Amino acid sequence: MTQSDVSASTDGPETASTPPASSRSSRAERNAAAGADLDRSRGSFAAAPGAAVQLAEIEEVDPGTIFQRDGAGFPDWLSANLDRLAKELGLSGLREVGRDVGVGSFTADLLAQTDRGRRVAIMSHLEPSDHLHLGQMITFAAGLDVSAVVWIATRIGEEHRAVLDWLNQHGDDDVRFFGIELRLLRIGDSQPGASFHVEARPNDWQKVIKQRQRVGSPLNTRMREF
């Protein structure tokens, strides 16, 4: 065996196991290209949900299209949803104890009672507030043994809100006055949902509610009543 034969036998396997530089370069380029494709696919996948999100329009619904203009049907719905009204007022609960309670020539739609036994007269007027119903509200406060009168309308005007604020500030603490706006909202083709917005309330009502929520806080007169 010659020296050239030895060289051929020893160098051959090493040369076969080591890929050429051009092959190593091609594999690295393919790996880089595959990584870039993967990054692009990840980016497009993450962006897809955001691009596909669609939000429906919120439409305000006229209560007159759901309930009759004279409010027929609304007391029935309200009676079944007094817990929602109680939540907006900050009360632990309300339940119906009377319907169409008359005071002179006026009639209160609902007479409710709190968990503490205090009675609340509720007057609904599914139109913007007016002077006639403001007078009725004051009549209910004077003619019924109630601790609060709640006026529900589609809009409480500034002048009527001012009167309710004045009554809460200067009137007898035994009776409180609340002005509530009823709003019906629909999202897309869904059934309308109702929400209550308190537009007028006793001046210290928020403070009373916060104090009640504090465990062990002493109860003042207003809190004992409700």
Side-chain angles (χ1 to χ4, degrees):
M1 181 180 293
T2 65
Q3 182 66 30
S4 59
D5 294 332
V6 174
S7 299
S9 62
T10 56
D11 293 340
E14 292 182 7
T15 303
S17 62
T18 302
S22 59
S23 176
R24 292 196 301 270
S25 177
S26 298
R27 184 180 297 114
E29 290 174 357
R30 288 196 299 271
N31 290 340
D37 291 339
L38 180 60
D39 290 340
R40 283 194 297 270
S41 64
R42 286 173 178 172
S44 61
F45 178 79
V53 170
Q54 295 182 358
L55 300 179
E57 294 290 334
I58 299 178
E59 175 189 5
E60 188 160 0
V61 180
D62 181 2
T65 63
I66 307 299
F67 305 101
Q68 297 181 21
R69 282 294 178 182
D70 60 359
F74 180 72
D76 292 330
W77 178 89
L78 181 61
S79 178
N81 291 272
L82 283 175
D83 56 333
R84 297 173 58 181
L85 178 61
K87 182 178 179 181
E88 291 301 320
L89 296 178
L91 303 176
S92 57
L94 279 175
R95 63 182 180 86
E96 179 186 345
V97 295
R99 181 78 65 95
D100 297 330
V101 180
V103 181
S105 59
F106 300 136
T107 302
D109 297 317
L110 288 176
L111 189 63
Q113 184 171 294
T114 70
D115 291 344
R116 296 179 179 271
R118 293 293 173 171
R119 302 204 304 174
V120 178
I122 302 175
M123 175 185 69
S124 60
H125 176 224
L126 301 187
E127 291 183 358
S129 61
D130 56 27
H131 296 331
L132 174 61
H133 287 84
L134 176 62
Q136 292 184 28
M137 188 179 195
I138 297 174
T139 301
F140 296 147
L144 295 174
D145 181 20
V146 295
S147 295
V149 182
V150 177
W151 182 8
I152 301 177
T154 58
R155 185 178 65 83
I156 303 295
E158 290 294 334
E159 67 278 18
H160 301 130
R161 182 185 292 108
V163 173
L164 297 179
D165 290 341
W166 186 90
L167 290 171
N168 284 321
Q169 183 177 357
H170 298 284
D172 191 339
D173 283 347
D174 290 338
V175 182
R176 293 95 167 172
F177 296 89
F178 294 87
I180 310 291
E181 288 186 351
L182 171 70
R183 297 174 189 170
L184 301 183
L185 301 175
R186 174 188 289 125
I187 301 178
D189 297 328
S190 67
Q191 290 292 326
S195 62
F196 298 108
H197 297 263
V198 182
E199 298 296 324
R201 72 184 80 206
N203 297 332
D204 62 347
W205 192 249
Q206 292 288 6
K207 181 174 66 176
V208 169
I209 298 304
K210 290 179 180 179
Q211 288 177 350
R212 180 190 295 172
Q213 292 173 347
R214 297 172 186 167
V215 178
S217 295
L219 299 179
N220 60 19
T221 302
R222 285 176 176 262
M223 293 169 64
R224 284 196 298 270
E225 289 177 352
F226 274 80

